[in-house]
């Protein structure tokens, strides 16, 4: 009965909190973390006991795979230097700073435990940043750097977490051996992820050729992908996290060549729901456990809350202290870098330094801490989870709610520019469709075919006028019934799709705009099926 009550409580809380998030236009991770606090101190609710390995398996691989799927690979390459500096250097520095602070101030935290906690809270969260940036007019490069950093630093932090946890278990640590092992584990994880991606792609292509595949089968395969990559890598004792990331990046880039419109539309909806539910699950699960954790910290719960606030301030200050030098010092030292990438103004860098919200990945790792260490209870497990929640709460709520006003105050926005760019790219795709229809017109000789062709050309011209602002509003397209009409529209849509694919391959169109246009084309293709 308690399991049923937990499920009902979870579903009701998700619905209520989502309505509140939409009502007050607040990113849902912020509302979920606040809702978790409320649930944590509600009376008569069960406190679930969940296997840590299950939490790590169910939450982390799909979240990182989903983040990798939505990552713009070209933007990732363009911003590889700042992303690498933040995803590796900043994570290590944050881990060291947090470890030093917690070891010096909190009784009972040995160095291995302090490093474990530092690895847990060091990575900003991709899901949190995406949810917050979606409501803000953040410049595209800032969003690309933060999203790329969040994707890669999760992998870095989780590998460091594994080493720190192993040191806590064994009581021994060798920097030389750990460095070599880090490289082997990382390279092995990437290799496994690439291999799994190619195997799954081959299976989907084979089933499609034999007529066995459909959108449901393909969607289930994509749901399987992060777990297959993660488990295979973990079985080989390499990084399951990097395997999930590598598999997501590769399958995302290659998926356009072997999945159809229906699978894309269905898969997008399924993944959006999955990421949403996993966020809700992690935040509310830790909320249900929070009351018991606070009780176990009595009579010093207030002191631990102050320690948690100190750690939150530490991760915020360390990020600010790192971002500005990491941005300007390399340019100061390299004339070649200054020539190709001049000194940016300080305002966007300030926004970047304030975009360090922690979120679900840190919570999932904290919840995945083992209950025992050998034959003894894991030392300071409840304290580590409580500190993690404090850091997530402060960074997500405080920084997340103040990021929008900060962007407006600093004048760092490109909303109109972004809309204009998307409109221009859509116009280019539509013009390609018109050119293809004109070429097709020479093959259409009957009056009916020419009438239908002209009607579709008029529709495309009207859509271009709408995008260019020449029409007051976009007219609804009348449903076409005839076979000829559907054939011509599919030809034009194929030309549009090929054009945006060419622009994407050439790096002229970022993935966020590409996927927006592709989604519209998918819906139009489904309408003609």
């Amino acid at each position: 009965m308690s399991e049923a009550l937990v499920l009902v409580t979870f579903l009701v809380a998700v619905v209520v909190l989502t309505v509140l998030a939409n009502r007050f236009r607040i990113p849902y991770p912020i509302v979920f973390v606040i809702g978790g606090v409320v649930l944590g101190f509600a009376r008569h609710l069960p406190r679930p006991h969940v296997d840590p390995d299950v939490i790590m398996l169910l939450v982390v691989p799909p979240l990182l795979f989903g983040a990798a799927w939505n990552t713009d690979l070209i933007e990732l390459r363009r911003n590889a230097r700042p992303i690498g500096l933040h995803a590796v250097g900043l994570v290590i520095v944050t881990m060291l700073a947090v470890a030093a602070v917690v070891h010096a101030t909190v009784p009972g935290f040995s160095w291995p435990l302090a490093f474990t906690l530092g690895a847990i809270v060091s990575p900003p969260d991709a899901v949190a940043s995406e949810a917050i940036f979606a409501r803000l007019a953040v410049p595209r490069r800032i969003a690309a750097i933060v999203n790329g950093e969040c994707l890669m630093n999760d992998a870095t932090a989780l590998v460091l977490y594994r080493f720190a946890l192993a040191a806590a278990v064994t009581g021994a640590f060798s920097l030389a051996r750990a460095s070599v092992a880090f490289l082997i584990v990382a390279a092995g994880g990437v290799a496994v992820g690439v291999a799994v991606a190619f195997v799954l792609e081959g299976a989907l292509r084979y089933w499609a050729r034999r007529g066995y595949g459909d959108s449901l089968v393909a969607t289930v395969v994509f749901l399987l992908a992060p777990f297959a990559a993660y488990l295979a890598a973990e079985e080989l004792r390499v990084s399951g996290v990097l395997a999930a990331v590598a598999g997501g990046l590769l399958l995302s880039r290659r998926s356009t060549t072997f999945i159809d419109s229906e699978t894309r539309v269905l898969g997008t909806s399924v993944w959006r729901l999955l990421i949403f539910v996993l966020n809700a699950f992690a935040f509310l699960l830790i909320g249900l456990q929070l009351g018991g954790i606070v009780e176990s910290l009595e009579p010093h719960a207030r002191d631990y809350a102050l320690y948690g606030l100190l750690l939150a301030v530490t991760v915020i200050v360390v990020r600010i202290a790192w971002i500005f030098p990491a941005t300007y010092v390399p340019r100061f030292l390299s004339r070649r870098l200054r020539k190709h990438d001049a000194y940016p103004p300080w305002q966007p860098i300030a926004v970047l330094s304030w975009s360090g919200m922690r979120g679900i990945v840190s919570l999932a790792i904290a919840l995945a801490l083992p209950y025992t260490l050998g034959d003894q209870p894991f030392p300071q497990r409840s304290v580590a989870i409580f500190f993690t929640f404090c850091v997530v709460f402060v960074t997500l709520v405080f920084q997340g709610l103040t990021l929008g006003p900060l962007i407006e105050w600093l004048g760092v926005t490109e909303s109109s520019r972004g809309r204009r760019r998307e409109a221009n790219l859509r116009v280019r795709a539509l013009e390609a469709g018109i050119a293809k229809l004109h070429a097709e017109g020479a093959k259409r000789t009957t009056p009916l075919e020419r009438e239908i062709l002209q009607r579709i050309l008029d529709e495309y011209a009207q859509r271009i006028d709408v995008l260019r602002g020449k029409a007051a509003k976009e007219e609804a397209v009348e449903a076409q019934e005839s076979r000829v009409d559907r054939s011509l529209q599919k030809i034009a849509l194929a030309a549009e799709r090929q054009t945006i694919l060419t622009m994407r391959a050439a790096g002229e169109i970022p993935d966020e705009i590409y996927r927006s246009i592709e989604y519209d084309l998918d819906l139009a293709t489904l309408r003609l099926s």
Side-chain angles (χ1 to χ4, degrees):
M1 185 62 183
S2 61
E3 291 81 1
L5 182 57
V6 170
L7 178 60
V8 172
T9 301
F10 171 76
L11 294 175
V12 171
V14 168
V15 172
V16 172
L17 293 173
T18 305
V19 170
L20 290 174
N22 292 333
R23 169 65 178 82
F24 295 102
R25 298 185 60 80
I26 299 174
Y28 68 84
I30 296 177
V31 177
F32 282 153
V33 74
I34 296 174
V37 173
V38 174
L39 283 181
F41 296 97
R43 294 173 177 258
H44 310 302
L45 286 179
R47 309 299 175 189
H49 181 91
V50 184
D51 187 339
D53 292 334
V54 172
I55 294 175
M56 182 67 80
L57 175 62
L58 290 182
V59 175
V60 173
L63 284 178
L64 296 183
F65 183 90
W69 185 280
N70 292 319
T71 296
D72 188 333
L73 195 57
I74 292 177
E75 289 292 337
L76 196 64
R77 292 197 197 103
R78 285 176 178 168
N79 298 290
R81 183 189 55 81
I83 289 174
L85 282 173
H86 305 335
V88 179
L90 179 54
V91 167
I92 294 174
V93 170
T94 304
M95 181 186 71
L96 295 175
V98 170
V101 170
V102 75
H103 180 73
T105 58
V106 184
F109 266 84
S110 63
W111 277 115
L113 292 178
F115 283 123
T116 302
L117 178 62
I120 290 173
V121 301
S122 60
D125 185 59
V127 177
S129 65
E130 286 178 6
I132 291 171
F133 285 172
R135 296 179 180 270
L136 302 173
V138 179
R140 185 164 57 86
R141 189 177 186 191
I142 292 179
I145 291 175
V146 172
N147 291 335
E149 173 199 353
C150 291
L151 177 66
M152 298 303 174
N153 67 18
D154 285 336
T156 303
L158 279 161
V159 173
L160 294 175
Y161 163 79
R162 295 286 192 187
F163 283 114
L165 192 61
V169 172
T170 62
F173 179 76
S174 168
L175 180 60
R177 284 199 299 267
S179 301
V180 174
F182 180 92
L183 296 176
I184 295 174
V185 165
V190 172
V192 170
V194 170
V196 169
F198 277 118
V199 168
L200 295 179
E201 178 186 342
L204 287 173
R205 289 184 182 275
Y206 175 78
W207 291 333
R209 287 195 303 269
R210 299 296 297 268
Y212 302 146
D214 58 21
S215 60
L216 291 176
V217 171
T219 301
V220 172
V221 169
F222 285 122
L223 287 176
L224 171 68
F227 302 106
Y230 182 86
L231 290 174
E234 290 295 313
E235 189 67 24
L236 295 173
R237 299 188 181 280
V238 294
S239 174
V241 173
L242 282 172
V245 170
L249 285 171
L250 184 60
L251 280 175
S252 173
R253 200 66 188 176
R254 296 179 59 83
S255 63
T256 308
T257 65
F258 66 90
I259 64 174
D260 56 20
S261 301
E262 184 178 0
T263 300
R264 257 190 302 274
V265 173
L266 177 61
T268 298
S269 300
V270 169
W271 272 100
R272 286 182 61 191
L273 177 62
L274 177 64
I275 299 302
F276 178 81
V277 170
L278 288 176
N279 269 272
F281 170 76
F283 284 119
L284 298 182
L285 178 62
I286 199 170
L288 290 174
Q289 297 186 356
L290 189 61
I293 291 174
V294 172
E295 290 177 3
S296 69
L297 301 180
E298 293 292 354
H300 305 292
R302 182 174 298 181
D303 295 334
Y304 282 115
L306 293 176
Y307 291 140
L309 179 61
L310 175 62
L311 295 181
V313 172
T314 299
V315 301
I316 292 172
V317 171
V318 167
R319 182 176 180 85
I320 296 172
W322 173 274
I323 292 290
F324 279 91
T327 301
Y328 294 111
V329 171
R331 289 173 172 82
F332 177 77
L333 297 176
S334 172
R335 180 180 301 177
R336 180 176 174 272
L337 181 58
R338 290 197 302 271
K339 181 178 179 181
H340 292 88
D341 193 4
Y343 287 106
W346 68 270
Q347 292 90 340
I349 308 307
V351 172
L352 186 63
S353 68
W354 200 247
S355 302
M357 293 77 64
R358 272 59 178 175
I360 185 173
V361 171
S362 292
L363 287 179
I365 303 172
L367 290 171
L369 284 169
Y371 287 101
T372 59
L373 189 62
D375 297 329
Q376 302 296 323
F378 190 91
Q380 306 290 352
R381 182 179 188 273
S382 295
V383 178
I385 294 175
F386 180 73
F387 285 164
T388 302
F389 186 83
C390 290
V391 172
V392 170
F393 186 89
V394 172
T395 58
L396 194 55
V397 175
F398 178 55
Q399 290 187 291
L401 291 179
T402 57
L403 187 59
L406 178 66
I407 289 174
E408 294 180 2
W409 180 59
L410 294 177
V412 182
T413 178
E414 61 174 25
S415 57
S416 58
R417 178 184 174 187
R419 285 195 296 269
R420 286 196 303 271
R421 185 180 186 190
E422 180 172 354
N424 290 334
L425 292 170
R426 287 180 182 270
V427 166
R428 287 179 61 180
L430 288 168
E431 288 174 341
I434 288 177
K436 188 68 174 179
L437 286 172
H438 279 304
E440 189 71 17
K443 305 175 186 178
R444 308 293 174 172
T445 57
T446 67
L448 175 61
E449 288 178 329
R450 289 190 172 277
E451 178 186 348
I452 293 171
L453 177 64
Q454 187 58 49
R455 189 162 65 246
I456 299 174
L457 285 170
D458 291 342
E459 174 198 327
Y460 269 63
Q462 173 68 9
R463 289 167 64 186
I464 291 176
D465 286 344
V466 170
L467 290 170
R468 288 176 172 168
K470 295 180 180 179
K473 61 180 180 178
E474 190 172 4
E475 297 290 335
V477 180
E478 183 181 2
Q480 305 295 333
E481 298 293 340
S482 71
R483 177 186 58 82
V484 176
D485 185 14
R486 290 196 299 272
S487 174
L488 289 172
Q489 291 199 49
K490 286 182 179 179
I491 290 171
L493 288 170
E496 286 188 59
R497 193 183 302 278
Q498 185 58 48
T499 299
I500 66 170
L501 278 172
T502 302
M503 289 189 288
R504 183 198 194 197
E508 299 176 12
I509 174 173
D511 269 18
E512 58 194 20
I513 297 177
Y514 167 80
R515 294 191 185 282
S516 176
I517 300 173
E518 182 187 58
Y519 183 76
D520 289 343
L521 293 176
D522 289 340
L523 292 179
T525 302
L526 286 176
R527 189 187 71 238
L528 299 174
S529 299

